[in-house]
Amino acid sequence: MRYDSININRKKSLVRSNELDMIAREDMKHMSKVRIGCSEFSNSLYVNTKNKILKELNATEDDWVNPKWQMKNRITTVDEISKYTNLTEEEYENIRIVSKEYRCAITPYYFSLIDFNNPDCPIKLQSFPNILELDEGGQLDPMNEEQSNPSGKITRRYPNKLIINVTNACPMFCRHCQRRRLIGKHDRNSSKEEIDESIEFIKNNETIREVLITGGDALLLSNDKLEEIFEKVSQIGHVDVIRVGTRTLATLPFRIDEELAGLLRKYRVQLSTQFNHACEITPEAVKAIDILVDHGIPVRNQMVLLRNVNDDKYCIQKTNEELHKYRVINYYLFHPKEVKGINHFQVDISKGLEIMKHLEGRTSGMCKPTYVFNAPGGLGKVPLVPMENIERQEDGYKLTTWENKTIFYDFK
Ligand SMILES: *Cc1c(COP(=O)(O)O)cnc(C)c1O
Ligand code: SF4
């Protein structure tokens, strides 16, 4: 009798297990089509273009892994681009016109990840000037950053945390950058006076417990300059946490070395970065992540949802799983804002919600970031959550599970 019921349960569990296998296999089938950075295919593209660039610039492997060399040899003009790939007359003209309006800069490293046979290559879409950028729709400053600036280079929208913008420079100018009005015509680090004024403001506001050092890309500052800021901020008694924002892990991974990691470790600095597609997670990027995580520095990803780049549930699942594999925390998925010059990256919110619904239960909870939208007017981030998950009813709640099974539950 007892053995029978064990047998029945075992049988039922096996049926369920097979059912789950089918779902997992279906996901795996789709995810196998997503290009990942740690693959032979990606590596062959990389080595091929890298060798072309090294030859053209008469440079060495040592130069290549030197972040200063990478910065100095950024690809910024259509003529430089056309040295490494054939552009049609129209493409040439479009890139030329657009890069006059919005600067172009691509590190040789990032450029080498492009798959030139794929017109929708996510690396190319994020880095090549596109004629659609000249579309007039969208606002310049929808988040009203200009009116969230109480002092120096501070952006404050929350009770106990704020941002100091330490530079407007970035290794690569992302075509989808929501702060592109600040990228301007020239790179400019904030002056010592502006930074000191910002730090003074924090000193005088004991409500501030967390300081985000960002830009631009905060890691374009030298280690000395960074240490000066960390030192001053960490001496403020009421500041508990320093966080740095950088996209170098994706655009200039050679910037991350033992010395920098030691510096971040010394001041217990935490780090936020931005990977938007699995093909950006290359062995070079993984090396940078490993150095940081091995030094005990938490690394969080803040992905941006971008049309054609990653607005696909399997692409995002795969990317987040790759990040999870390498110990990066999937922190945010940003819904893109309507900023002038980036409207061609806009995604419908229903798409984002569908992606979030897909991630529920289909994969590790660690692969499910919080999907957020930065409210207009500088009012802060609003989490966007699939609406059907929980619904108030007369005598309880209707809950919808990851498989869209509904149950009624009266929380006592
Ligand atoms: C996003 C943001 C922060 C940090 O918010 P978290 O949710 O803690 O990551 C702080 N200040 C401003 C102005 C921000 O936009
Ligand atoms: S790294 Fe960030 S700030 Fe710099 S261009 Fe890209 S999205 Fe904009």
Side-chain angles (χ1 to χ4, degrees):
M1 183 61 200
R2 219 178 60 125
Y3 290 110
D4 272 1
S5 74
I6 290 177
N7 272 337
I8 288 171
N9 283 340
R10 177 51 60 86
K11 268 190 191 142
K12 278 189 179 162
S13 303
L14 278 171
V15 169
R16 176 62 173 156
S17 183
N18 288 335
E19 211 176 273
L20 294 171
D21 275 342
M22 304 251 288
I23 299 176
R25 285 219 183 84
E26 179 70 15
D27 287 348
M28 285 162 74
K29 189 181 87 194
H30 290 287
M31 283 193 291
S32 70
K33 297 189 188 112
V34 178
R35 188 186 141 200
I36 60 171
C38 291
S39 67
E40 264 176 48
F41 174 74
S42 286
N43 193 53
S44 67
L45 296 174
Y46 177 57
V47 171
N48 186 24
T49 310
K50 173 181 157 184
N51 286 340
K52 271 194 209 167
I53 296 177
L54 287 179
K55 195 163 165 224
E56 173 73 29
L57 299 178
N58 204 2
T60 65
E61 294 277 340
D62 282 348
D63 291 330
W64 187 261
V65 298
N66 179 344
K68 290 202 178 97
W69 183 91
Q70 287 277 337
M71 285 300 288
K72 209 165 73 200
N73 291 287
R74 290 188 299 177
I75 291 157
T76 58
T77 66
V78 65
D79 288 321
E80 284 172 291
I81 291 176
S82 65
K83 277 183 195 160
Y84 307 109
T85 179
N86 296 322
L87 299 171
T88 64
E89 226 167 274
E90 192 188 350
E91 285 170 327
Y92 182 96
E93 204 41 32
N94 286 348
I95 294 176
R96 195 185 64 80
I97 295 169
V98 177
S99 52
K100 273 203 275 185
E101 189 68 22
Y102 298 111
R103 276 200 292 171
C104 168
I106 315 170
T107 55
Y109 163 78
Y110 199 81
F111 189 89
S112 302
L113 308 180
I114 296 174
D115 176 2
F116 286 108
N117 289 321
N118 176 7
D120 281 334
C121 170
I123 301 287
K124 189 170 151 187
L125 291 178
Q126 291 182 78
S127 60
F128 269 38
N130 186 319
I131 194 71
L132 298 171
E133 293 172 40
L134 301 183
D135 188 279
E136 283 300 313
Q139 292 165 272
L140 263 182
D141 179 20
M143 294 203 306
N144 232 329
E145 289 190 331
E146 313 264 336
Q147 288 175 36
S148 324
N149 175 223
S151 172
K153 295 302 260 180
I154 283 174
T155 306
R156 182 180 187 186
R157 289 189 207 123
Y158 291 107
N160 75 357
K161 57 188 177 188
L162 54 70
I163 290 174
I164 309 179
N165 287 287
V166 294
T167 179
N168 79 340
C170 294
M172 174 186 97
F173 297 127
C174 307
R175 303 324 290 184
H176 57 271
C177 182
Q178 317 197 328
R179 319 187 65 241
R180 57 181 0 186
R181 89 200 138 77
L182 300 172
I183 299 300
K185 296 278 176 225
H186 302 283
D187 294 337
R188 182 179 169 272
N189 290 346
S190 301
S191 68
K192 191 172 158 6
E193 290 70 35
E194 287 167 326
I195 291 179
D196 284 346
E197 192 190 329
S198 310
I199 293 173
E200 204 50 36
F201 178 88
I202 298 166
K203 239 184 235 166
N204 295 327
N205 284 270
E206 80 273 13
T207 52
I208 303 304
R209 70 169 290 274
E210 182 172 15
V211 175
L212 281 72
I213 315 265
T214 178
D217 196 312
L219 291 189
L220 281 193
L221 262 56
S222 68
N223 288 357
D224 286 348
K225 283 217 180 96
L226 285 171
E227 175 145 32
E228 206 182 307
I229 298 172
F230 297 159
E231 173 74 37
K232 285 181 185 162
V233 173
S234 65
Q235 270 174 10
I236 305 174
H238 54 265
V239 174
D240 294 337
V241 178
I242 301 177
R243 209 193 308 177
V244 150
T246 178
R247 211 187 168 209
T248 52
L249 277 69
T251 57
L252 183 67
F254 313 118
R255 172 67 179 94
I256 312 291
D257 59 12
E258 300 275 330
E259 188 191 317
L260 175 72
L263 175 63
L264 299 175
R265 168 76 194 81
K266 182 173 166 194
Y267 295 92
R268 291 210 180 84
V269 175
Q270 312 195 11
L271 193 143
S272 307
T273 190
Q274 184 192 137
F275 287 103
N276 296 324
H277 192 285
C279 69
E280 294 174 330
I281 308 162
T282 62
E284 283 72 9
V286 171
K287 189 174 168 199
I289 294 166
D290 276 341
I291 294 175
L292 292 166
V293 180
D294 288 349
H295 278 77
I297 295 148
V299 178
R300 296 188 182 83
N301 194 49
Q302 309 195 147
M303 183 185 285
V304 188
L305 184 58
L306 298 167
R307 178 142 137 217
N308 282 339
V309 173
N310 62 8
D311 61 335
D312 171 83
K313 56 192 179 187
Y314 299 110
C315 174
I316 292 200
Q317 183 180 348
K318 186 70 198 173
T319 306
N320 291 356
E321 288 182 357
E322 285 289 289
L323 290 165
H324 183 214
K325 174 174 171 182
Y326 299 115
R327 302 178 290 177
V328 175
I329 301 153
N330 287 290
Y331 183 46
Y332 279 142
L333 173 63
F334 281 106
H335 188 78
K337 288 176 289 256
E338 288 181 26
V339 179
K340 189 164 175 274
I342 63 169
N343 279 319
H344 56 297
F345 287 113
Q346 263 303 319
V347 180
D348 200 279
I349 182 171
S350 62
K351 186 88 195 196
L353 291 172
E354 180 202 318
I355 292 168
M356 289 311 295
K357 186 72 202 173
H358 170 83
L359 295 178
E360 280 173 18
R362 305 292 277 247
T363 185
S364 168
M366 304 283 155
C367 301
K368 201 185 81 178
T370 306
Y371 179 35
V372 289
F373 180 63
N374 244 314
L379 292 176
K381 298 175 185 75
V382 181
L384 306 172
V385 185
M387 275 175 287
E388 69 270 24
N389 284 6
I390 178 162
E391 191 184 300
R392 182 98 172 98
Q393 303 215 318
E394 231 166 76
D395 43 6
Y397 291 87
K398 186 177 122 192
L399 305 178
T400 303
T401 71
W402 64 274
E403 284 168 288
N404 282 325
K405 290 179 179 161
T406 53
I407 45 172
F408 294 89
Y409 197 81
D410 176 14
F411 289 99
K412 286 277 173 354

